[in-house]
Amino acid sequence: MLNIKDLSRTGTIIFLFFIVCKPAISQDTLFVTLPEFLERGLSNSGQVAYESGKVDLARNRVRTVKSQRIFPRLELNTQHGVVPGVESKRQDLGEGEYYLDPDLENDWNNWAVFTRAELSATQPIYTWGAVSSAVKAAEAGAKSAQYEFSAVKAEARIQLFDLYYSYLLAIEISRILEDANEQLNRVEKNINEMREEGNPDLKESDVFKFEIFKSEFVTRRVEVQQSLDYIKRVWDYALQAEPGVVYMPASNFLDPVPYELQDYDYYRANAVQERPELRGVEFGITALEKRLEAEKARQYPLFFFGITGSFANTPNRPRQTNPFIRNNTNYGSVGVGFGIRQNLNILSMRASVDKARIEYKRVNDLEKAVSDQIILDLNERYREAAVAETRMKQTEEALVTARNWVRNEQLNYDIGFGDVEDFLDAVQKELELRVKLKQNVYDLNKKVAALYKAGGLPISQLNLK
Amino acid sequence: MFKKIYTLLIVILCFAPLVTAQAEADSIRMMLEERDDEIKDLLGPKGTEYTQEQRDRLKDIINDVINYRSMAQHALGDTYNEISEEEREEFVSLFSTIIRDNSLNRLDIYRAEVTYNNIEVNEDSAFVATTAQLEDVRTSVDYNLERFDNTWMITDMTIDQVSTADSYNRQFQSIIRQRGFDALMESLRRRAARS
């Protein structure tokens, strides 16, 4: 039999066994394509979710207004209870004549269930278009909310697009720096060899320059590493990363998006047709126009059809046969009729119509303001995209020249005409241009996406992978 | 009947060059792929140590498809026609020795995965555009080829948009301008002696 000491020792061994055998927490890497990143980022966006709530509210309003078309007032009221019966000491009165006995008393030995139901309903017949205009206003309002939501989504999509490419840019720059580090090591080795050989081509000024460059390079590496870490954290937040999962772009290279700059008029025509902000305002105008019509219609009399019905039953109470004498516990009646309702507060009604008219005018002015803003925005985005494209192409050309320069300097070294300063300058320029080119590609992609958004074109048309 | 035969002939004549060009493109691709496979087989995995015999064999496979005379002619430019036959022969020999020696400087690059982007054949010349990807480094490598005695040979390689023949040409011209052809030859001799 195990004693306490044995048990404690066994427990410790088991505990240690689990500690040792506990599998190391491994991290899964999940590669995400740009469309997947956009989709997932949008589904996690708080702003997008908040805006989608506005669309739901607008749709709910449509259902509410539509429900007002059929029996906007329909009420059923029922009451139930137990009540005592009645008794009369007079022998000459039948049950239907009890109302003639002033000494009628409750019969506390006779209890029964009391039931009463009252139904009332009104159905508008003619409203001068008030109801149908209100429905159309609500429907247009819902469409306007849907377009406003599309505009918010387009903005969020652009931000995610930038974030995706930021990661690729950081990866590319770290790769260039790794490559540069190798080159620096080669140059350092070369300088050391020249020094050992006592090569007269090696100038001390070149060595100083090289040392300064190396020091600056260390700072640059730290900057890039910090940027990469920062972007990873933002990615995790945007994707609501699960613990132990590392998300990375499916692509490994930052390339220009497949795109060709069209004429400005192409984007302008499309923006006027498709920009969700503009479409939203257009439907907003329709909504307020219909609301104005509804407000005007409310100034006129409302013709309606009404139904009313009442019924009460208590088995132990007498039912009066005389229609002029009503017993509240036992009766039945029904009525159907036609009515006119007119609000006579003319000043209040005029104020409501004026308010609707002012709002209608305001939203018309808003359309002009939004239109102006869209054209200005589009002009700016078009200019930026065109400049970014040229800047990228020119940097590409400059990089080819720098590569040629490096190659020349390498060849010079190879056949014995090398100059350290020239070689260092060439390598430094090539590195600068490689980094600059990647930054310009990133900038171009951003600007193209912004141009697409400004022109009302979905960025999915860029055939992103 | 004759009309039909004529039509058929015209169709054949129109499409024949396209079919031939495609066949040539396929043969060039096959030649480059075979060379690539052969190099990779010899290289083995990263970190492999090579014997001198293996290095020589690698050098042969890498360089045997290169036409040095053509490349050297381009590299030297007009001077090639101005020098004597003997000088030409020596120049071509030194030039090929240096390039062959340089070809083994970075063996890793031959482990890259090659993607053929485009092969264009125009009679006796061809252009092949490829992308070589080694781990996370992507390099564009384009070849200019010419047919010599029914064999396709590389006359220039453009790596990351920089032409090898043009680079040599630019450099040699600069040296010839500044120091003369003899100084260039002297340097090449010294460099070749180190190989």
Side-chain angles (χ1 to χ4, degrees):
Chain A
M1 193 177 165
L2 290 170
N3 59 23
I4 297 295
K5 210 172 173 181
D6 287 332
L7 272 173
S8 148
R9 195 182 299 140
T10 313
T12 311
I13 290 167
I14 291 169
F15 177 72
L16 283 174
F17 176 79
F18 276 107
I19 292 282
V20 172
C21 295
K22 191 179 146 198
I25 296 169
S26 60
Q27 285 200 318
D28 290 331
T29 305
L30 213 65
F31 292 97
V32 189
T33 62
L34 178 54
E36 285 165 358
F37 183 76
L38 295 179
E39 196 182 324
R40 191 164 170 163
L42 283 178
S43 66
N44 289 332
S45 163
Q47 180 69 21
V48 171
Y50 172 72
E51 293 297 329
S52 79
K54 286 186 184 171
V55 177
D56 294 341
L57 275 175
R59 285 183 184 150
N60 175 272
R61 168 131 187 86
V62 174
R63 286 197 299 275
T64 308
V65 174
K66 276 186 175 173
S67 70
Q68 295 293 312
R69 291 184 301 189
I70 298 162
F71 287 112
R73 218 185 116 243
L74 176 64
E75 267 182 30
L76 173 68
N77 190 357
T78 69
Q79 293 130 37
H80 309 276
V82 282
V83 292
V86 286
E87 58 182 359
S88 173
K89 294 209 169 69
R90 286 175 58 175
Q91 299 299 316
D92 58 326
L93 295 175
E95 278 198 343
E97 296 164 333
Y98 273 8
Y99 63 91
L100 295 171
D101 182 0
D103 300 321
L104 198 67
E105 289 177 354
N106 283 322
D107 181 359
W108 298 108
N109 295 316
N110 179 16
W111 290 86
V113 175
F114 154 75
T115 299
R116 185 156 60 198
E118 285 163 350
L119 175 80
S120 68
T122 54
Q123 170 62 39
I125 301 170
Y126 189 70
T127 64
W128 308 90
V131 174
S132 61
S133 294
V135 170
K136 282 176 188 162
E139 283 173 343
K143 281 186 180 157
S144 176
Q146 182 65 50
Y147 279 110
E148 278 172 30
F149 176 57
S150 299
V152 169
K153 261 171 80 175
E155 184 59 42
R157 201 175 278 121
I158 290 286
Q159 286 170 2
L160 288 163
F161 182 91
D162 288 355
L163 185 57
Y164 189 88
Y165 279 107
S166 300
Y167 203 151
L168 284 179
L169 176 65
I171 291 173
E172 286 275 19
I173 293 180
S174 4
R175 195 179 294 143
I176 292 169
L177 291 190
E178 280 309 312
D179 202 12
N181 196 39
E182 278 178 31
Q183 282 207 42
L184 283 184
N185 290 338
R186 278 203 294 274
V187 172
E188 192 166 26
K189 195 178 155 205
N190 217 333
I191 287 175
N192 290 337
E193 279 172 6
M194 287 174 90
R195 186 173 276 156
E196 280 167 21
E197 286 169 6
N199 193 325
D201 289 337
L202 181 68
K203 288 181 279 184
E204 274 313 299
S205 59
D206 296 339
V207 180
F208 289 133
K209 274 186 190 171
F210 177 72
E211 292 297 331
I212 292 167
F213 183 64
K214 245 177 69 177
S215 302
E216 287 170 351
F217 185 75
V218 172
T219 317
R220 189 83 177 124
R221 280 186 81 171
V222 172
E223 276 174 8
V224 170
Q225 188 54 50
Q226 285 303 319
S227 301
L228 193 57
D229 292 346
Y230 162 76
I231 289 162
K232 279 179 184 170
R233 287 196 293 271
V234 181
W235 257 59
D236 284 351
Y237 187 73
L239 295 174
Q240 305 277 299
E242 294 149 28
V245 179
V246 176
Y247 293 91
M248 286 192 75
S251 162
N252 224 356
F253 302 103
L254 173 59
D255 293 320
V257 286
Y259 138 90
E260 201 175 315
L261 189 68
Q262 308 282 334
D263 284 344
Y264 169 76
D265 289 343
Y266 166 75
Y267 297 102
R268 192 181 189 282
N270 204 72
V272 171
Q273 285 288 314
E274 303 293 339
R275 270 292 287 260
E277 293 89 340
L278 210 51
R279 303 292 318 270
V281 174
E282 280 166 9
F283 277 104
I285 290 172
T286 310
L288 286 170
E289 189 182 5
K290 293 296 167 192
R291 200 181 131 196
L292 178 62
E293 284 174 16
E295 288 297 337
K296 281 180 182 168
R298 281 192 192 102
Q299 296 178 107
Y300 307 115
L302 163 73
F303 298 97
F304 67 93
F305 167 75
I307 303 169
T308 177
S310 300
F311 167 78
N313 176 256
T314 316
N316 60 346
R317 293 262 174 153
R319 178 181 290 276
Q320 303 304 324
T321 49
N322 186 332
F324 296 101
I325 304 297
R326 179 174 167 138
N327 181 338
N328 282 337
T329 55
N330 258 323
Y331 67 88
S333 69
V334 68
V336 176
F338 168 79
I340 299 173
R341 188 183 295 151
Q342 171 70 60
N343 183 353
L344 293 176
N345 191 340
I346 295 167
L347 292 177
S348 160
M349 282 188 298
R350 275 191 189 157
S352 296
V353 171
D354 283 348
K355 188 182 169 194
R357 198 171 277 132
I358 292 165
E359 284 182 356
Y360 177 60
K361 187 178 175 309
R362 265 189 80 205
V363 82
N364 268 296
D365 293 339
L366 178 66
E367 188 194 21
K368 177 79 176 69
V370 169
S371 188
D372 290 349
Q373 201 183 341
I374 284 173
I375 297 302
L376 285 174
D377 181 43
L378 182 62
N379 264 296
E380 184 63 13
R381 302 295 162 229
Y382 189 83
R383 184 189 67 80
E384 284 179 350
V387 170
E389 188 180 320
T390 308
R391 193 180 285 137
M392 190 207 71
K393 284 184 177 162
Q394 290 309 116
T395 314
E396 260 180 341
E397 277 183 28
L399 179 60
V400 173
T401 310
R403 280 183 177 142
N404 264 312
W405 186 12
V406 171
R407 183 71 68 85
N408 275 359
E409 296 307 327
Q410 278 171 342
L411 291 180
N412 266 340
Y413 260 105
D414 201 33
I415 51 180
F417 296 107
D419 180 280
V420 177
E421 188 177 7
D422 287 348
F423 185 60
L424 266 179
D425 285 348
V427 168
Q428 194 171 345
K429 196 70 204 168
E430 195 218 0
L431 280 176
E432 277 172 19
L433 285 169
R434 278 176 72 186
V435 171
K436 197 172 167 190
L437 178 64
K438 287 301 166 188
Q439 280 168 338
N440 288 347
V441 169
Y442 167 72
D443 197 46
L444 173 69
N445 289 355
K446 254 177 77 167
K447 300 288 193 253
V448 169
L451 174 63
Y452 265 56
K453 180 183 164 278
L457 295 157
I459 54 175
S460 55
Q461 277 192 14
L462 287 167
N463 293 324
L464 308 167
K465 285 173 190 161
Chain B
M1 182 66 183
F2 280 115
K3 201 177 171 185
K4 277 184 185 172
I5 292 169
Y6 278 131
T7 314
L8 192 66
L9 270 174
I10 288 166
V11 169
I12 290 169
L13 285 172
C14 285
F15 283 97
L18 290 177
V19 174
T20 316
Q22 186 54 49
E24 289 295 343
D26 290 344
S27 106
I28 290 170
R29 183 184 174 133
M30 201 183 295
M31 182 261 285
L32 291 173
E33 278 177 345
E34 276 173 12
R35 170 181 177 254
D36 192 44
D37 289 343
E38 216 174 334
I39 294 169
K40 280 186 178 127
D41 281 348
L42 257 172
L43 276 177
K46 202 176 174 181
T48 307
E49 294 287 326
Y50 305 103
T51 60
Q52 190 54 43
E53 195 185 338
Q54 282 170 315
R55 290 180 71 84
D56 290 344
R57 177 81 190 115
L58 265 173
K59 210 187 273 188
D60 287 344
I61 300 170
I62 292 166
N63 295 286
D64 278 358
V65 292
I66 300 172
N67 187 303
Y68 290 109
R69 181 166 295 277
S70 175
M71 200 186 277
Q73 188 175 354
H74 182 90
L76 204 53
D78 292 342
T79 315
Y80 188 86
N81 298 323
E82 293 161 9
I83 56 178
S84 67
E85 188 61 38
E86 270 179 35
E87 283 173 322
R88 267 184 220 161
E89 288 306 317
E90 189 189 1
F91 177 78
V92 172
S93 162
L94 294 172
F95 182 75
S96 61
T97 307
I98 293 168
I99 292 194
R100 284 170 69 88
D101 189 50
N102 281 341
S103 68
L104 296 193
N105 277 354
R106 288 185 67 198
L107 284 172
D108 260 357
I109 56 169
Y110 300 108
R111 290 196 174 89
E113 278 301 313
V114 180
T115 311
Y116 291 82
N117 306 322
N118 182 31
I119 302 179
E120 279 171 29
V121 180
N122 188 11
E123 295 179 359
D124 285 337
S125 64
F127 173 77
V128 180
T130 73
T131 304
Q133 189 175 333
L134 180 67
E135 290 166 6
D136 284 340
V137 180
R138 206 172 39 169
T139 311
S140 72
V141 182
D142 304 332
Y143 301 96
N144 285 86
L145 295 102
E146 277 177 39
R147 189 162 26 204
F148 298 91
D149 299 331
N150 234 6
T151 306
W152 286 103
M153 295 192 86
I154 296 169
T155 54
D156 189 16
M157 281 168 294
T158 302
I159 301 165
D160 260 340
Q161 293 163 291
V162 178
S163 149
T164 306
D166 283 350
S167 296
Y168 276 107
N169 174 277
R170 196 178 298 110
Q171 210 48 32
F172 290 168
Q173 292 305 315
S174 166
I175 295 167
I176 292 168
R177 259 199 323 273
Q178 289 173 29
R179 309 184 190 203
F181 178 71
D182 291 340
L184 170 68
M185 287 298 277
E186 195 50 46
S187 300
L188 293 179
R189 280 185 204 112
R190 274 203 304 272
R191 171 64 186 85
R194 294 208 307 266
S195 303

